[in-house]
Amino acid sequence: MSRLPTLAAAFVVTLAAVTGGAALTGYVTADGAAPAPEIQNDHYQNPDLIANDTPGQATVEMDATARSQTVLVDPGVEPTSPGGAFPLAILGLGGSSVADRDIRPLANALIENGHEVGVYVPDPDRQRRPAPPGADPPTQLGERLAEADAFVTFRTDYEPDELDAIESFVDSGGHVVLATEPDAAYSEPGAASLDATLGVTTEPGYVYNMEENDLNYQRVYAEPTGETLLTEGVDRAMFPSATPVGTTATGSDVLRPIAGSELSTTRASTEAPLVVRDDDVVAIGDSDFLSPDNARRADNDALIGNLADFLVTNDRTPPGSGGASGPTGPPGPGQPPANGTAG
């Protein structure tokens, strides 16, 4: 895994202030016509639907005191040239085509607390390593997961041998965060198989709320179903475009949409969860909430910090490690590692 000493500089978020001219009202036109009366429609006066242009700054903090962990992120970026795509693309540095994978708030929190963040981008020209007699050669993803403690994926269409590697990773105590979207390709067998591998489910359609929302009806609020590691400090989260998720495990629901929410495919009210957890796996029906702008909305920054804690609070025992890599105390002085980002 390569090390980039200057990686921190890539996480600086530049804010641009745009000043617009004030609109003039109460004037009389050149032909002497009176101005139009003010709109009195209550629908436009509803304070729940007025855009909040000053949501404040995101403060993503971690509470976990685990030793240095390696978190592997698969942004689902297809390699476009030999050597794979630019590995920092998920941090907002690769152009508009990867904007949906900008997870700087999560990555920054992990790095600032002494953890490694690796980005997986497959190399189409790389040959598989030789395997012992009678064993299948490891996949590129399997090789990277063997060195990782936690895994973040965006419902990629994985091949069967890659799914086997993910299943083995979870069985060995690795933590997984799966973020999906309403427009995910549900017909792709690899993506559907990933749900089965991780024991989670997804539903077609998106959740919306015409009564109370953030900026527009698809940006829905969700509230905790109870007090858990993932909901600490979260009174309300906001998801820009969310699809229901689930699991067969009892008591797995973490966040449900607020009252007034409906599902696009049925136009009926819904309380289907948007975040669920089944032991070592967390499934989320949205990924855009991880972006810097959306991290500032509602309590998304607290939720992102809790997800970072979840990722590094694991019982992962990588092959050949000789012991668990779970929460055994903070890293010692001078030990925070550089952050690997090679594909």
Side-chain angles (χ1 to χ4, degrees):
M1 187 176 299
S2 63
R3 299 183 180 277
L4 302 179
T6 60
L7 182 63
F11 306 135
V12 177
V13 180
T14 304
L15 301 179
V18 180
T19 303
L24 300 179
T25 58
Y27 61 91
V28 177
T29 61
D31 58 4
E38 295 183 4
I39 296 176
Q40 299 297 326
N41 193 324
D42 291 340
H43 174 74
Y44 294 99
Q45 306 299 323
N46 187 344
D48 292 330
L49 302 180
I50 296 175
N52 177 11
D53 294 327
T54 57
Q57 298 296 319
T59 304
V60 180
E61 298 178 341
M62 295 180 62
D63 294 327
T65 57
R67 290 188 181 277
S68 178
Q69 307 282 293
T70 298
V71 179
L72 182 65
V73 181
D74 180 3
V77 176
E78 293 292 335
T80 57
S81 61
F86 187 53
L88 296 183
I90 65 165
L91 302 176
L93 303 174
S96 59
S97 63
V98 292
D100 289 343
R101 295 294 181 261
D102 186 347
I103 63 168
R104 276 175 285 180
L106 177 63
N108 283 351
L110 291 165
I111 292 168
E112 290 168 0
N113 283 269
H115 304 289
E116 293 190 6
V117 176
V119 181
Y120 172 71
V121 178
D123 182 351
D125 297 328
R126 181 178 171 183
Q127 300 296 321
R128 287 194 179 187
R129 294 179 181 176
D136 294 328
T139 64
Q140 292 183 47
L141 178 61
E143 292 176 3
R144 296 297 301 278
L145 286 174
E147 302 173 351
D149 303 290
F151 184 46
V152 179
T153 179
F154 296 90
R155 206 165 184 269
T156 298
D157 185 15
Y158 293 109
E159 297 294 334
D161 50 359
E162 294 175 319
L163 293 171
D164 290 341
I166 294 173
E167 184 175 16
S168 297
F169 176 80
V170 176
D171 289 343
S172 65
H175 278 190
V176 176
V177 168
L178 167 65
T180 186
E181 296 286 349
D183 58 354
Y186 295 108
S187 61
E188 294 182 354
S193 297
L194 177 63
D195 292 346
T197 298
L198 297 177
V200 300
T201 60
T202 55
E203 292 185 30
Y206 61 86
V207 178
Y208 66 93
N209 194 313
M210 300 293 291
E211 300 176 9
E212 184 177 1
N213 54 62
D214 178 76
L215 303 179
N216 68 59
Y217 66 97
Q218 280 191 265
R219 297 170 63 87
V220 296
Y221 292 115
E223 296 176 337
T225 59
E227 296 183 4
T228 67
L229 167 69
L230 294 176
T231 61
E232 183 176 354
V234 180
D235 292 326
R236 176 175 285 193
M238 188 283 298
F239 298 103
S241 182
T243 191
V245 292
T247 176
T248 57
T250 303
S252 63
D253 297 1
V254 175
L255 290 168
R256 288 179 175 269
I258 64 172
S261 298
E262 301 178 355
L263 184 61
S264 63
T265 53
T266 63
R267 304 297 179 183
S269 60
T270 180
E271 294 183 347
L274 303 182
V275 179
V276 295
R277 177 181 178 180
D278 183 4
D279 293 331
D280 296 336
V281 176
V282 169
I284 307 170
D286 178 75
S287 64
D288 289 341
F289 79 99
L290 292 166
S291 71
D293 285 343
N294 289 321
R296 302 162 58 199
R297 316 301 297 191
D299 295 321
N300 282 10
D301 53 352
L303 175 59
I304 295 171
N306 294 342
L307 287 170
D309 286 334
F310 164 78
L311 287 168
V312 303
T313 308
N314 58 72
D315 297 321
R316 168 74 167 147
T317 306
S321 66
S325 60
T328 56
Q335 292 184 355
N339 295 279
T341 55

